[in-house]
Amino acid sequence: MSGIGFLSIPDQTAEAQSLFDDDVSELGYVMNSSRLWAYQPGTVTGIFDLTREATSANRLSVRQRGILVSACASTLGDSYCSLAWGSKLAHVSDAQTASGVLRGQDDALSPAELAMAVWARKVARDPNRTSAADVQELRDAGFSDSQIFAITVFVALRIAFSTVNDALGVCPDAALRSTAPQEVLDAVTFGRPIDNSVETTARSGDFGEL
């Protein structure tokens, strides 16, 4: 039976087609994650709307978001978001920085960025083991309580998105095999393998909203 991950292909709807059209416009192909979330297009749109809302007032840069997602996704063992956001982080910094964050080696990060990465990993690993001292480390790095809340909401929403994709067996897009820097590919030794279907063409530097 053909399908997406462990599920069958969902029925085509106008909302799902809108997801696909956005992918093709931005990337040149339809992401595997979009094929899965075609079961509930409004839900995934809502997740991304919430992530934007959570960070809009605090204006997290692409680099900051890349650090947060790369740190939490790699801690979860999510290869899909690690490859996609590790590539984004490499694009706005360099491949060595991105590879380091994915491996938990943060030498290239500023003190504030390091605090973000450490916090994202703690939230992903076991949110019940965080402490007031952990939050104080973020304050000491220059973050306000409002920013700490926004960062935590952003990470939690990314974890929810990754959890659905991973639990239902969605593999990273075949295009990531050629668009992700080699250093990023080498760092992602965990999670589900890259899709082995015929690779589609993607524009260099474009990695979608995933």
Side-chain angles (χ1 to χ4, degrees):
M1 179 183 69
S2 63
I4 177 65
F6 303 143
L7 303 183
S8 58
I9 298 293
D11 294 336
Q12 185 80 1
T13 64
E15 292 80 8
Q17 188 60 51
S18 179
L19 282 182
F20 301 162
D21 290 345
D22 287 345
D23 284 355
V24 172
S25 176
E26 185 172 1
L27 299 170
Y29 68 94
V30 178
M31 293 188 293
N32 288 341
S33 61
S34 295
R35 296 183 190 278
L36 175 69
W37 286 91
Y39 275 103
Q40 292 189 16
T43 301
V44 73
T45 299
I47 288 174
F48 287 138
D49 285 346
L50 285 172
T51 60
R52 285 190 289 268
E53 181 178 347
T55 60
S56 60
N58 298 284
R59 300 184 182 278
L60 289 179
S61 67
V62 175
R63 178 181 169 104
Q64 290 173 315
R65 284 179 281 142
I67 290 167
L68 288 170
V69 180
S70 296
C72 77
S74 58
T75 300
L76 289 171
D78 172 25
S79 58
Y80 202 162
C81 288
S82 293
L83 288 166
W85 275 89
S87 297
K88 286 186 182 184
L89 179 56
H91 187 65
V92 297
S93 57
D94 57 74
Q96 291 73 29
T97 297
S99 173
V101 174
L102 291 167
R103 296 176 188 273
Q105 300 167 359
D106 303 321
D107 296 345
L109 302 184
S110 70
E113 292 170 341
L114 173 60
M116 294 173 71
V118 169
W119 177 249
R121 293 186 187 108
K122 288 179 178 179
V123 173
R125 189 174 293 117
D126 188 348
N128 285 299
R129 291 180 64 86
T130 61
S131 66
D134 295 325
V135 172
Q136 188 58 48
E137 289 179 2
L138 287 164
R139 293 192 186 105
D140 293 343
F143 295 102
S144 67
D145 282 15
S146 175
Q147 290 173 315
I148 294 168
F149 182 84
I151 288 168
T152 307
V153 171
F154 177 80
V155 170
L157 290 168
R158 295 300 317 190
I159 291 170
F161 179 70
S162 290
T163 299
V164 174
N165 293 334
D166 293 343
L168 294 176
V170 177
C171 291
D173 304 318
L176 288 166
R177 188 176 287 108
S178 59
T179 57
Q182 189 59 50
E183 293 89 340
V184 170
L185 291 169
D186 291 343
V188 181
T189 59
F190 46 80
R192 301 195 183 278
I194 295 176
D195 193 342
N196 61 7
S197 63
V198 176
E199 187 169 322
T200 50
T201 301
R203 292 185 292 274
S204 176
D206 288 343
F207 305 99
E209 194 164 12
L210 173 66

